Structure formats: structure tokens, C-alpha cells
Amino acid sequence: MTRTRVLAALVMAPAAIAAILLLPTPWLAAVAALVLLAALWEWLKLAGVEDTLPRTVLVGLNLLLMVLLVWASRTDGEFSPVLFQLATLAGAGGWVLALLWLWRSGFSAGDQAWKRVFKLAAGTMAVIPAWCALCLVHSSSFAGLAADAADAAGDANGHRWLLTALALVWAADSGAYFAGRRFGRHKLAPVISPNKTVQGALGGVVAGVLVALAFGWFAGATTAQLPALALVAAITVAASIVGDLVESLLKRQAGVKDSGDLIPGHGGVLDRVDSVLAALPVFAIGKEIFGF
């Protein structure tokens, strides 16, 4: 299993990095939509929507929402980031409220209709804002979509900033794993995910911040911006942990180990992007506030 996991990672990581750095934002947005909607497909199953037809309809409605966001943001040949920014803010707020869900996790257990509706709504609130945040970061709040060549110069930095956001989450996952194995003593959320420890979470924060600083320099951050970047990175890692725990809660309440089996050795798509769903809106907001 470990060998399969490593081989799958060796294929996925270069492909993801190449897509982020080489694809223009509209194309990357389309690819990201497919990935995130695949994750939503698995989320809906964990939420209790077993039948293919209703899941297809719900995923289709979320795709329609993405299309409508793009359509409504286009004015006179330009793109306005306002709707995407509002969705990103709503998503970040949703992840703050998710802390209450984790604190009182038992209220969503069971097959009652309202609990299923809650989980379905949570899926949309996880996927749509993450996609909006990805588009904003990659395009430098749509500046990279400008027809003017001078304005489009910010596009390359947007690509690099998105890579920074994802790299810090990947590093945090790895840092948490190794720190938890070596130093883990105190359980972080024993009822939801018994293997996660406080020490592992701290190791993830350290790894995420260090990688963010290195990649941030690559993306164009100045020395004066590094403290703000470190702060945003730390908060982003904290958000990624919340995203991971929410998916762990969904799987525990559904009685499954993985969200799916699409990726050899890694489980489902949602298993790979759960942390990213929560991290992207937070990083996008921090980037906008501090202007790096």
C-alpha cells in the first residue's frame, strides 16, 4: 500500500504543479471544478445520498452555480471579482462555524432529513468558496485575466501564490504526520480522529509556515511582507486541520474509512482535498488583506 501511495503521489504532484504554473486561469478553473465536484460527489455519499440520480442532480446544481458566478461576474468584457470575494468570505465564515460542529459533533449523527440537508448544504459551502478562492488567487483577483498586457503581468505571480497556498497545506499534512508519530502525546480530537495529536498539529503549523515563506519568496513576497505571510500561513494551516477533521467526522458518522477508492493508495478525491477546501478561502482573504 505504501509503494502504491508513493507512486500515485509521484504522478499527482507534478501534474498538479504543472497545471497551476502553466495553465491560464480559465482552464485551471475548469480543471479545478472537475476535481472539486468529484470531491463533492463523495461528500454527498458520506452525507447519506446513496443513489446516483439525486447525487448527479445535486452535483449538477453546484456546477450550475459555478457557471452562474462566472456569468454574473463578466461585465463589458472584463471580470469583476466581487461575487467570488463574497463567496470566499462566506466560505471562511462557514469554516469558523464548523468549529461548533466539531465541538458538538453528535448533533449531525443519524439519518433524519434535516441532518442530511445540513450536510448537503455544508458540502456546497465547502466546495464553491474553495473554487472561488482558487480562481481569485490564481488570477490575482482577476487582474491576470485583463486583456491589457501590463495588467496581465500579475498573472504569473498569481500562479505562484496558488502554488504557495497548496504547498503549505501539503507540507503541513506531512509535518503533522511525522511530528505526530515522533512526538505525539496528547490527542487533538479523540472522538473524531483518534490518530491526530496536538503535537502533530503544531508540527504541521511549523512545516506549513516554513514552506510558505520559501514559496512566498518565489511568488514575489518582499522581506517586509514575510511576517504577515507567516501569520496567514499559520492561520491557513489551522483552517486546513478543521477541514480535515470535518471530513473525518463525516466518514466516522457514515461508518467508512475512506471517502472513495478513485486514487490508488490515497482513497477518494475528498480524502486528498479536504484540507485544501478550508485552507484556500482563508489564504485568499489573508493575501487580500495584507496585499502580498
Side-chain angles (χ1 to χ4, degrees), residues 115-150:
K115 294 180 179 180
R116 189 173 303 173
V117 170
F118 169 79
K119 292 178 182 179
L120 298 183
T124 295
M125 284 297 296
V127 167
I128 299 298
W131 179 74
C132 289
L134 180 146
C135 294
L136 288 172
V137 174
H138 193 262
S139 65
S140 298
S141 291
F142 294 169
L145 300 183
D148 185 86

Side-chain angles (χ1 to χ4, degrees), residues 112-258:
Q112 291 94 329
W114 71 267
K115 294 180 179 180
R116 189 173 303 173
V117 170
F118 169 79
K119 292 178 182 179
L120 298 183
T124 295
M125 284 297 296
V127 167
I128 299 298
W131 179 74
C132 289
L134 180 146
C135 294
L136 288 172
V137 174
H138 193 262
S139 65
S140 298
S141 291
F142 294 169
L145 300 183
D148 185 86
D151 292 336
D155 194 31
N157 281 346
H159 295 194
R160 294 174 184 180
W161 277 117
L162 180 58
L163 180 60
T164 300
L166 295 178
L168 78 87
V169 175
W170 298 335
D173 286 344
S174 298
Y177 174 77
F178 289 110
R181 289 195 62 180
R182 178 67 178 83
F183 303 107
R185 296 291 184 275
H186 302 91
K187 301 296 184 182
L188 180 65
V191 175
I192 298 171
S193 184
N195 292 329
K196 290 181 175 60
T197 63
V198 173
Q199 290 76 12
L202 293 175
V205 171
V206 171
V209 169
L210 291 176
V211 167
L213 292 175
F215 276 76
W217 173 82
F218 170 69
T222 65
T223 302
Q225 291 172 329
L226 293 182
L229 175 57
L231 174 62
V232 171
I235 298 173
T236 300
V237 172
S240 75
I241 294 172
V242 174
D244 194 345
L245 288 173
V246 166
E247 197 226 355
S248 295
L249 175 61
L250 287 171
K251 290 191 293 186
R252 180 166 292 274
Q253 292 181 346
V256 298
K257 181 178 182 295
D258 296 317

Side-chain angles (χ1 to χ4, degrees), residues 32-186:
L34 291 176
V35 173
L36 294 181
L37 289 174
L40 180 62
W41 175 269
E42 296 173 353
W43 182 300
L44 296 176
K45 185 174 183 179
L46 294 178
V49 185
E50 296 283 349
D51 294 339
T52 300
L53 179 58
R55 266 200 288 169
T56 302
V57 171
L58 289 170
V59 169
L61 289 174
N62 279 268
L63 174 59
L64 178 61
L65 180 55
M66 291 176 172
V67 173
L68 289 175
L69 281 168
V70 173
W71 174 77
S73 298
R74 188 175 181 87
T75 56
D76 299 327
E78 298 291 334
F79 278 92
S80 168
V82 173
L83 290 177
F84 280 70
Q85 290 168 340
L86 290 174
T88 299
L89 283 169
W95 287 110
V96 173
L97 293 177
L99 291 171
L100 296 176
W101 185 9
L102 295 174
W103 182 41
R104 289 287 185 262
S105 58
F107 93 94
S108 61
D111 294 328
Q112 291 94 329
W114 71 267
K115 294 180 179 180
R116 189 173 303 173
V117 170
F118 169 79
K119 292 178 182 179
L120 298 183
T124 295
M125 284 297 296
V127 167
I128 299 298
W131 179 74
C132 289
L134 180 146
C135 294
L136 288 172
V137 174
H138 193 262
S139 65
S140 298
S141 291
F142 294 169
L145 300 183
D148 185 86
D151 292 336
D155 194 31
N157 281 346
H159 295 194
R160 294 174 184 180
W161 277 117
L162 180 58
L163 180 60
T164 300
L166 295 178
L168 78 87
V169 175
W170 298 335
D173 286 344
S174 298
Y177 174 77
F178 289 110
R181 289 195 62 180
R182 178 67 178 83
F183 303 107
R185 296 291 184 275
H186 302 91

